[in-house]
Amino acid sequence: MTDCLFCRIVVGEIPGDIVHRSESVMAFRDIQPKAKVHVLVVPQVHYETLAELAAAEPYVAAELLKVAGEVAADEGIAESGYRLVSNVGSDGRQEVGHVHLHVLGGEKLGTVAGRPVDSTP
Ligand code: AMP
């Protein structure tokens, strides 16, 4: 989709700080990191939500999760722990309508309940 920010990063029209690229998935650093490590993992194909991706292309959804784990290992946070977040829709505060997993870590993260809005990805 030409008007999708992450599709444009996938095809190289917009630069991204890319940390991983495979046949169906890529990962790049979030431009406004909410933690010391903040990487976005996206499918190269455009779907809006993880549920839509999993329903249509379950192997790509599984690859997304696998790559998230590999990114965590590469970033050195697999042992200390990390958080995977996928925001969905307006109430979920999804800003970019191309499914993505936030990989967050490198520091002790806030608790989910009662967490200030500005610290959420
Ligand atoms: P979400 O609110 O879950 O849709 O998250 C979208 C994320 O994309 C936010 O954390 C933004 O900081 C991030 N973002 C926006 N533009 C870019 C960009 N050009 N490169 C990398 N990350 C971006």
Side-chain angles (χ1 to χ4, degrees):
M1 287 178 65
T2 51
D3 60 344
C4 168
L5 174 64
F6 288 174
C7 283
R8 296 180 73 191
I9 292 176
V10 164
V11 299
E13 276 179 28
I14 294 177
D17 187 354
I18 295 163
V19 299
H20 179 98
R21 186 192 285 275
S22 62
E23 198 178 318
S24 56
V25 170
M26 67 182 281
F28 48 88
R29 296 192 192 284
D30 196 292
I31 205 166
Q32 290 184 297
K34 313 314 187 283
K36 282 185 182 156
V37 173
H38 189 173
V39 173
L40 302 173
V41 185
V42 310
Q44 300 209 25
V45 64
H46 182 95
Y47 290 95
E48 195 155 330
T49 70
L50 194 54
E52 289 168 3
L53 173 67
E57 304 199 38
Y59 292 109
V60 178
E63 177 75 7
L64 205 67
L65 288 167
K66 183 166 91 62
V67 169
E70 290 170 359
V71 166
D74 291 347
E75 295 290 320
I77 60 172
E79 296 295 322
S80 53
Y82 57 95
R83 181 174 291 155
L84 298 181
V85 173
S86 186
N87 296 321
V88 180
S90 173
D91 281 0
R93 295 180 180 273
Q94 181 177 7
E95 291 172 3
V96 179
H98 181 127
V99 60
H100 50 284
L101 289 177
H102 297 258
V103 181
L104 296 147
E107 61 185 297
K108 189 69 89 179
L109 300 172
T111 57
V112 173
R115 197 152 44 105
V117 167
D118 63 6
S119 73
T120 60

